[in-house]
Amino acid sequence: MTDHNALIEKLGREIKPVRRIWPTGLRVMAWLAVALPCAVAASFLVPRGLTDWSQPGAKLAILQIALAFLLGTLAIRSAFTLSIAGRRAISWKALLPIALMWLGLSVINMQGNGAILHDDDSTRCFTFLMVVSTPMMLLMIASLRRSRSLHPVRSLAMAGVGISSLAVSLLAFCHPVHLHVLDFVMHLAAVLSIVALTILVGKRWVALDK
């Protein structure tokens, strides 16, 4: 097209209004306000009990909940930040100490635990984590799709870490205070599965060139 005025007019007609992205902190709070109730509602689809907080070691379990929630919130914030070009997100190196503290407390919690759990009990933990993470995963992908991302895999991986951490914190409210080794292994397997699924499902929707 050689007529520049006609080209500008044509492009002007095709331009759609741009909706400004909310500040990252507000996006995180809004996402948590919607995602956590959805996750709690989804938890009722899975057979579960309630944690007996009178058991020895309950304070350690509460500290684990706090660490998992903190890790999840920071990872979700980092995922949103990574989706905006030019923004500097929280490095995984900054989140690593929190994750290692949670792992360390889990190992301490397993020491001296003589209770034997059946395979079905550990499987229910895996199922719980996958079920409660599903609505959070879908909401996260929908939220990231608004801004897209130059680094979709990194954004989605960080989102998966955040979602799995929040799911673990919810599991603690309906799980025995003490952990069994097989139980802990299933928790880690669920975390890896959530991260992988978040990347696989969300990549085509979050990538900037789609």
Side-chain angles (χ1 to χ4, degrees):
M1 182 179 290
T2 56
D3 189 344
H4 296 111
N5 291 328
L7 176 60
I8 293 173
E9 183 180 354
K10 181 177 182 297
L11 292 175
R13 289 196 303 267
E14 294 177 353
I15 291 176
K16 297 180 180 179
V18 177
R19 295 178 60 186
R20 186 175 181 180
I21 299 297
W22 289 354
T24 302
L26 189 57
R27 292 179 76 187
V28 173
M29 289 188 292
W31 184 87
L32 288 173
V34 176
L36 288 179
C38 289
V40 172
S43 70
F44 288 97
L45 300 174
V46 185
R48 59 182 180 79
L50 294 176
T51 302
D52 182 5
W53 297 107
S54 64
Q55 295 180 6
K59 292 182 179 179
L60 196 63
I62 293 173
L63 181 56
Q64 284 183 281
I65 293 174
L67 288 172
F69 187 84
L70 176 62
L71 177 61
T73 302
L74 291 177
I76 293 297
R77 180 183 179 86
S78 182
F80 279 128
T81 305
L82 280 169
S83 67
I84 306 297
R87 296 286 180 86
R88 187 163 185 168
I90 301 173
S91 170
W92 65 268
K93 294 179 181 179
L95 299 179
L96 186 59
I98 302 175
L100 291 177
M101 287 176 63
W102 180 84
L103 286 171
L105 290 176
S106 297
V107 172
I108 293 172
N109 209 356
M110 288 187 290
Q111 292 179 356
N113 181 17
I116 300 177
L117 297 181
H118 299 292
D119 291 347
D120 289 345
D121 296 324
S122 299
T123 302
R124 279 197 291 267
C125 292
F126 182 88
T127 303
F128 179 96
L129 290 171
M130 298 305 296
V131 169
V132 300
S133 68
T134 298
M136 292 193 286
M137 185 190 310
L138 297 176
L139 287 168
M140 191 66 198
I141 292 172
S143 298
L144 288 174
R145 182 172 168 78
R146 283 201 58 200
S147 57
R148 304 299 179 95
S149 178
L150 289 171
H151 310 285
V153 174
R154 288 172 56 192
S155 296
L156 290 167
M158 193 64 75
V161 171
I163 291 167
S164 59
S165 298
L166 293 173
V168 167
S169 68
L170 292 176
L171 175 64
F173 289 98
C174 48
H175 190 280
V177 168
H178 293 287
L179 291 174
H180 187 270
V181 175
L182 181 58
D183 218 14
F184 181 62
V185 170
M186 295 303 289
H187 292 183
L188 294 181
V191 168
L192 294 175
S193 299
I194 292 167
V195 174
L197 276 175
T198 304
I199 296 172
L200 292 174
V201 175
K203 185 177 179 181
R204 68 183 296 263
W205 300 104
V206 175
L208 194 61
D209 57 347
K210 295 295 182 181

